[in-house]
Amino acid sequence: MRRNVCRWAFWVLAFVLIAPISEARDNKGRFVVVIDPGHGGKDSGAKGRNSLEKNIVLDVALQTGARIKALNPNIIVHYTRDDDTFIGLKQRAVFANNKKADLFVSIHANSHKTSSPHGAETFVLGLHRTQDNLSVAMKENSAILYEKDYTVTYQGFDPNQSESYVIFNFIQNKHLEQSIALADIIQDGLVSTGLFNRGVKQDGFLVLREVAMPSVLIELGFISNRENENYMRSKKGSQELSNKIAKAIVEYEEKLSERSSKETNSETVKASNEKTSSDAIYYRIQVLADKRKLSPNHFKGYTEVVRSYKEGDFYKYTLYNTKDLEEAKRLQKELKGKYKDCFIVGFDGNDNKVGSYY
């Protein structure tokens, strides 16, 4: 066994060190997310009293994609599976790489031999720090046992042997910083639903190792815990979880766009040597995104407070304009009756977008 593990480690390490990873994107500048519902088909994943992991995560994944597109139609969403189909771990990664994705988000539900553990946790690729972390990775990686010729595909890797995970000591994840940034936002959202915070962690997940982009693996909760299981499988729970994940992804994309925009603006300011007055932040409530340029009359009752800005192919429409964030929150609350997905957007004194607030 040890000889097989060493041979597997050698070839994987060689692949990691010499294989070129293309950073080229061909999605016309649009941000691409691959959502990966874990397990599927003959691989049911963890089993609860009244549900299967594969069904819970598929439901949350599909709702997450729909919410992303509602919040930001300019983001492209792909699913590794959108029905009850079995897909190998490597196939999922290859799919994301072929789509030239900017993010890979794998969704799972945790389990334990006892019913007491509960709560949400989010993982990025890395070396396990505790036996509990290793147990989670072993459970998720064991999906390869359903694959034909898995010993050949994964060069002798055995998900149930701790020695197999030695390779993760050597792998340098060039996307670790971005992955952790996304994981932090997702975890904050999940625990805001009331789930116990189990934190952001690192471990050796095969599906994350194979993707050439920032990536995270989410454990929504414990299907072995009755309260967590009931929450995840309920309409309210699945909607809340998918909403939080979607908002986190949109926020992550917004921050990347802001950083890119700020860097561009900074260079422009240096070149023109013009002094800007962008200290003040003005808050507006974004209510709609559309490829069409709409008349203010489209927003009946708000024609005097409509403003629009353009991002990519979309015109984005906002209502009101205030320097007081608390007032913006009050206005957002009022508007939710008509625009349930509305959120707050900040602009500087030069009308440059500086952030989104939910």
Side-chain angles (χ1 to χ4, degrees):
M1 174 62 206
R2 188 175 300 277
R3 182 177 297 174
N4 288 338
V5 170
C6 291
R7 184 167 63 249
W8 176 85
F10 171 80
W11 285 112
V12 173
L13 180 58
F15 173 82
V16 170
L17 292 177
I18 66 175
I21 297 176
S22 173
E23 293 292 336
R25 299 288 180 225
D26 187 24
N27 296 299
K28 298 182 180 180
R30 296 177 68 184
F31 195 81
V32 179
V33 178
V34 168
I35 300 177
D36 172 46
H39 308 282
K42 59 186 177 182
D43 175 15
S44 64
K47 298 179 181 180
R49 286 174 175 266
N50 301 297
S51 57
L52 299 176
E53 179 183 1
K54 67 174 183 177
N55 297 330
I56 285 177
V57 300
L58 178 61
D59 182 27
V60 171
L62 295 178
Q63 290 191 65
T64 296
R67 291 289 295 130
I68 289 172
K69 289 185 277 190
L71 291 168
N72 188 341
N74 202 38
I75 293 178
I76 299 174
V77 176
H78 297 291
Y79 306 94
T80 55
R81 69 178 181 98
D82 57 10
D83 57 19
D84 188 19
T85 301
F86 174 76
I87 302 173
L89 296 186
K90 195 160 189 172
Q91 286 178 273
R92 297 168 190 261
V94 168
F95 176 84
N97 293 338
N98 287 342
K99 292 297 182 182
K100 297 180 170 61
D102 297 283
L103 278 184
F104 179 82
V105 179
S106 191
I107 302 177
H108 294 258
N110 216 332
S111 67
H112 194 270
K113 59 185 179 182
T114 68
S115 61
S116 55
H118 62 285
E121 53 195 339
T122 307
F123 287 88
V124 298
L125 181 66
L127 178 66
H128 66 273
R129 305 298 180 188
T130 69
Q131 186 61 39
D132 283 346
N133 287 13
L134 178 60
S135 297
V136 176
M138 285 180 166
K139 175 175 68 71
E140 301 302 355
N141 289 341
S142 66
I144 70 171
L145 301 178
Y146 290 93
E147 299 180 40
K148 185 179 180 180
D149 298 327
Y150 75 89
T151 55
V152 176
T153 303
Y154 298 96
Q155 292 89 31
F157 178 85
D158 185 341
N160 297 318
Q161 293 293 327
S162 59
E163 291 90 345
S164 291
Y165 292 82
V166 66
I167 187 62
F168 292 99
N169 276 309
F170 302 105
I171 293 178
Q172 298 264 331
N173 183 4
K174 65 186 295 184
H175 301 293
L176 181 60
E177 184 178 346
Q178 300 100 311
S179 298
I180 291 175
L182 173 63
D184 282 338
I185 303 172
I186 289 175
Q187 186 66 16
D188 287 345
L190 294 177
V191 299
S192 72
T193 66
L195 287 168
F196 176 71
N197 187 2
R198 299 179 65 88
V200 172
K201 303 173 181 178
Q202 288 182 259
D203 213 333
F205 293 95
L206 287 174
V207 70
L208 300 186
R209 186 201 73 190
E210 299 287 343
V211 295
M213 69 224 48
S215 56
V216 299
L217 186 144
I218 302 167
E219 295 283 1
L220 299 172
F222 280 76
I223 199 170
S224 50
N225 177 275
R226 183 176 296 185
E227 184 177 349
N228 275 189
E229 180 191 18
N230 290 340
Y231 177 69
M232 290 187 292
R233 66 190 292 265
S234 70
K235 182 177 180 180
K236 176 179 181 291
S238 63
Q239 287 180 345
E240 287 183 348
L241 291 168
S242 59
N243 187 44
K244 295 300 181 181
I245 298 170
K247 284 186 174 182
I249 291 170
V250 170
E251 181 180 342
Y252 175 88
E253 188 276 336
E254 296 270 6
K255 287 183 176 180
L256 284 185
S257 298
E258 289 162 24
R259 185 172 67 185
S260 176
S261 177
K262 284 178 180 177
E263 289 171 355
T264 303
N265 290 339
S266 176
E267 291 302 315
T268 302
V269 169
K270 285 180 182 178
S272 62
N273 198 27
E274 294 178 356
K275 188 175 181 180
T276 62
S277 57
S278 57
D279 292 340
I281 296 180
Y282 297 84
Y283 301 101
R284 304 169 192 166
I285 294 82
Q286 185 166 313
V287 296
L288 182 65
D290 201 296
K291 287 190 174 182
R292 299 169 296 170
K293 189 163 180 64
L294 303 175
S295 163
N297 294 328
H298 182 86
F299 303 89
K300 294 180 180 179
Y302 302 101
T303 55
E304 301 299 319
V305 292
V306 178
R307 292 171 181 252
S308 66
Y309 65 101
K310 194 172 184 183
E311 278 188 340
D313 297 330
F314 287 82
Y315 292 96
K316 299 188 175 182
Y317 297 90
T318 65
L319 304 181
Y320 300 111
N321 191 48
T322 175
K323 291 183 181 180
D324 187 340
L325 180 56
E326 291 306 313
E327 181 183 10
K329 290 179 179 178
R330 180 183 60 77
L331 293 169
Q332 178 195 21
K333 190 174 182 180
E334 291 178 1
L335 287 168
K336 277 188 175 291
K338 186 171 184 180
Y339 303 100
K340 68 175 183 177
D341 294 323
C342 68
F343 57 96
I344 300 170
V345 183
F347 294 84
D348 65 20
N350 296 311
D351 237 19
N352 298 312
K353 183 178 173 183
V354 297
S356 299
Y357 311 82
Y358 295 97

